[in-house]
Amino acid sequence: MVKELKAEVKKLNFYYGRVQALKEINLPIERRKVSALIGPSGCGKTTFLRCFNRMHDLYPHNRYEGEIILHPDNVNIISPQMDPIEVRMQISMVFQKPNPFPKSIYENVAYGLRVRGVSKREVLDEKVEKSLRGAVLWDEVKDRLNHLAFDLSGGQQQRLCIARALATNPRILLFDEPTSALDPTATLKIEELIVELKNEVTIIIVTHNMQQAARVSDYTAFMYLGEIVEYDKTDRIFTAPSNKLTEEYITGRFG
Amino acid sequence: MSTVFERELEDLKGKVLKLGSMVEKAISDSIKSLVERNSKLAADVIDKDPQVNTLEVEIDEECIRLIALRQPRAGDLRLITTAMKITTDLERIGDFAVNISERALELNEEPQLKPYIDIPRMAEIAQGMVRDALDAFVKRDSALARDVLTRDDMVDNLNYQVFNELLFFMIQDPRNVSRAVKLTYISKYLERIADHATNIAEMVVYLVEGKIIRHMAVPEKQ
């Protein structure tokens, strides 16, 4: 079976000033699959994830080397010629803590579209409903779309953030520890949602909950000290990893 | 300092080993009872089988508990699933030792049909396979496990040989048939024991290498 790639990371190095945080990273990102990044704190997994939507450009002295090629257009999203705002339109991120805007539920989801100049009410209505349905939140909020987003529970707020990310039809959806602030029930809903969403969008997730990586992902990359130690199908990583370091981390012997 | 989980895994291995040694002893006692015409020994094997069954269930429950509470991964996961499958094979081997003992009790009531030569040899090989497969399990030694796999053919060939020899006795004199049939049963039980030892060895290769090698024609030599 030939894999269809959505993105390809080639010889990626990343520096916070003089400190090298990512070393020679090569990684295929398969289309419409969930790829998980795991590893001990400080291994570079969040740094790596943030490269995908140019979050590091928000601070000075950060430097990328290498390429992250986005398919099928074959553009390098970390090249200085690429506009970071344009990248973020196509590659959305959902963060550790739900971070809705201080606006209504409706406006939170519509925001990205309005920024793009969409103002037709019917188009917005349709998109907002579709995104909220995609994030399995519609039934819970359809009667109070003009309520403030902060009125929602933590789990609902996180699903609202996912709906907001979905509204602009991203090519890749990034999740940075999306359930670490949520209770087990809300966590389960988000995990189910992630598995559901991969039918539509390519997903990369950073998690330090290994069982979560095992439950939701198709591929897993184990990172340590800024490098990718092992990358394989998730079931392989969790039953018979080939690297000793991966084995020790997976079984809780270190990390 | 080992963690609680690591101690639990050691404990689990210890229990599998204990089950293994009980079963090994059952095989050798059952054959001894036949060769030495010692019915007391056969009765002992039959009496002790419930202990084997109890330990089997205990190991199973422990494995299920560890899977539920510890969410084992990678090598730990393979150790626990291997322990579960090995245990089933060991319990079944124990059952065959009981079957051998039952036939020995019956045969010991009649004059000996012939000197027993190949059957004790088969028993020795089969028992050695069980012992080495368990040894390989404890030491995570896949080379030893693969060596066990190569011995199954010897037992199969001996079984075939024993069958032909006993067939000859039966053709010679119909009064031999009852005893000869019982001896072919015993030979078949030993052949099955070697098959279960093979299963255990194959699981050990999975434990060590993460590769499932069951149902492959020729065992890969390393």
Side-chain angles (χ1 to χ4, degrees):
Chain A
M1 194 192 77
V2 181
K3 291 179 190 173
E4 196 183 342
L5 297 184
K6 188 73 217 176
E8 229 174 323
V9 182
K10 292 177 177 173
K11 290 188 173 180
L12 173 68
N13 287 296
F14 179 78
Y15 303 83
Y16 288 113
R18 256 178 270 165
V19 181
Q20 183 168 7
L22 297 176
K23 291 165 197 163
E24 288 290 306
I25 291 194
N26 293 293
L27 193 71
I29 301 292
E30 215 185 311
R31 182 171 176 262
R32 291 188 181 171
K33 299 280 179 201
V34 179
S35 301
L37 305 174
I38 60 167
S41 296
C43 71
K45 53 192 188 296
T46 295
T47 300
F48 182 33
L49 191 75
R50 289 181 177 173
C51 292
F52 282 90
N53 74 341
R54 300 278 295 270
M55 290 281 286
H56 299 299
D57 292 45
L58 300 173
Y59 307 94
H61 309 301
N62 290 344
R63 189 158 55 87
Y64 309 90
E65 276 172 16
E67 296 177 315
I68 299 180
I69 304 292
L70 190 64
H71 294 299
D73 348 13
N74 235 4
V75 294
N76 175 15
I77 57 179
I78 55 169
S79 107
Q81 284 78 45
M82 261 317 264
D83 175 9
I85 306 291
E86 188 47 44
V87 172
R88 285 176 214 139
M89 291 278 196
Q90 297 182 23
I91 301 178
S92 313
M93 171 109 83
V94 175
F95 296 86
Q96 194 165 350
K97 284 195 190 138
N99 56 350
F101 302 134
K103 293 171 180 289
S104 69
I105 293 168
Y106 183 98
E107 284 306 324
N108 260 278
V109 183
Y111 186 82
L113 299 164
R114 288 201 194 277
V115 168
R116 284 184 184 191
V118 180
S119 55
K120 258 187 144 177
R121 191 71 199 182
E122 310 87 85
V123 178
L124 286 174
D125 281 355
E126 192 197 317
K127 270 291 194 183
V128 167
E129 176 173 344
K130 187 164 177 276
S131 306
L132 284 168
R133 281 190 188 280
V136 199
L137 188 59
W138 175 252
D139 289 338
E140 290 160 64
V141 300
K142 61 173 187 257
D143 300 324
R144 46 173 172 150
L145 291 172
N146 55 347
H147 285 211
L148 210 56
F150 297 131
D151 292 348
L152 299 172
S153 72
Q156 289 172 327
Q157 286 186 23
Q158 193 63 311
R159 277 179 282 146
L160 179 66
C161 293
I162 294 172
R164 185 178 65 191
L166 287 174
T168 56
N169 287 336
R171 318 261 206 108
I172 300 178
L173 201 48
L174 309 172
F175 287 91
D176 188 4
E177 302 273 8
T179 63
S180 58
L182 303 181
D183 72 14
T185 317
T187 297
L188 185 66
K189 278 189 183 160
I190 301 285
E191 287 181 3
E192 293 278 320
L193 180 54
I194 289 171
V195 174
E196 192 69 25
L197 284 175
K198 76 174 178 187
N199 294 319
E200 321 240 320
V201 61
T202 303
I203 292 169
I204 308 174
I205 178 171
V206 161
T207 174
H208 51 211
N209 178 340
M210 269 181 285
Q211 292 310 118
Q212 178 165 77
R215 284 191 295 265
V216 305
S217 71
D218 303 289
Y219 294 91
T220 297
F222 168 59
M223 292 182 68
Y224 185 58
L225 300 176
E227 292 178 77
I228 294 204
V229 174
E230 187 168 352
Y231 164 80
D232 210 330
K233 286 197 166 150
T234 296
D235 55 9
R236 189 74 198 164
I237 292 275
F238 283 87
T239 55
S242 36
N243 190 289
K244 197 166 174 293
L245 213 55
T246 315
E247 167 92 27
E248 285 176 3
Y249 180 72
I250 297 278
T251 57
R253 265 37 168 207
F254 102 101
Chain B
M1 237 300 277
S2 60
T3 63
V4 176
F5 183 40
E6 281 168 343
R7 288 197 295 277
E8 286 171 333
L9 291 177
E10 281 307 308
D11 207 44
L12 177 66
K13 268 201 260 180
K15 279 183 179 157
V16 173
L17 264 196
K18 188 178 168 209
L19 182 66
S21 65
M22 283 161 78
V23 164
E24 262 181 61
K25 180 142 191 332
I27 303 170
S28 71
D29 283 354
S30 65
I31 292 298
K32 215 166 155 192
S33 78
L34 174 77
V35 175
E36 296 177 2
R37 299 179 68 78
N38 178 348
S39 294
K40 167 81 177 59
L41 216 45
D44 274 359
V45 171
I46 295 167
D47 284 349
K48 281 183 189 157
D49 190 54
Q51 293 176 25
V52 171
N53 298 342
T54 307
L55 187 55
E56 183 216 6
V57 171
E58 200 181 304
I59 292 171
D60 247 18
E61 284 174 345
E62 179 63 7
C63 290
I64 292 166
R65 190 185 73 84
L66 290 173
I67 290 169
L69 301 187
R70 304 291 186 195
Q71 284 113 41
R73 294 168 290 266
D76 299 338
L77 178 65
R78 299 203 304 277
L79 175 65
I80 293 169
T81 48
T82 299
M84 264 182 115
K85 294 196 79 166
I86 282 185
T87 299
T88 307
D89 283 306
L90 287 174
E91 191 276 332
R92 181 48 67 90
I93 293 173
D95 287 346
F96 283 123
V98 167
N99 295 147
I100 294 171
S101 300
E102 288 165 353
R103 298 295 86 74
L105 284 176
E106 293 158 10
L107 285 161
N108 290 351
E109 295 299 311
E110 295 180 71
Q112 191 163 342
L113 180 66
K114 59 182 274 302
Y116 303 134
I117 298 158
D118 285 333
I119 284 180
R121 264 173 69 198
M122 283 177 79
E124 202 180 314
I125 299 169
Q127 200 192 331
M129 288 171 71
V130 176
R131 185 178 50 241
D132 287 347
L134 282 169
D135 219 31
F137 169 68
V138 175
K139 294 178 184 154
R140 290 188 182 241
D141 182 346
S142 65
L144 181 58
R146 284 173 190 275
D147 184 70
V148 169
L149 301 179
T150 63
R151 292 180 232 164
D152 190 43
D153 280 351
M154 286 198 277
V155 180
D156 289 350
N157 290 339
L158 279 168
N159 178 44
Y160 183 65
Q161 203 173 305
V162 167
F163 176 77
N164 281 332
E165 193 194 354
L166 289 166
L167 200 58
F168 182 69
F169 273 91
M170 290 190 260
I171 292 163
Q172 247 182 359
D173 186 344
R175 281 170 299 177
N176 294 340
V177 169
S178 162
R179 282 170 293 167
V181 164
K182 282 167 190 163
L183 285 169
T184 59
Y185 277 161
I186 289 180
S187 173
K188 184 67 189 170
Y189 298 148
L190 289 169
E191 188 269 329
R192 292 298 298 151
I193 287 175
D195 288 345
H196 285 282
T198 302
N199 288 352
I200 295 174
E202 285 167 344
M203 279 309 291
V204 172
V205 173
Y206 171 70
L207 167 70
V208 181
E209 301 175 13
K211 271 188 276 191
I212 292 176
I213 58 161
R214 290 195 299 274
H215 315 303
M216 286 181 179
V218 184
E220 264 176 74
K221 276 274 207 171
Q222 277 212 325

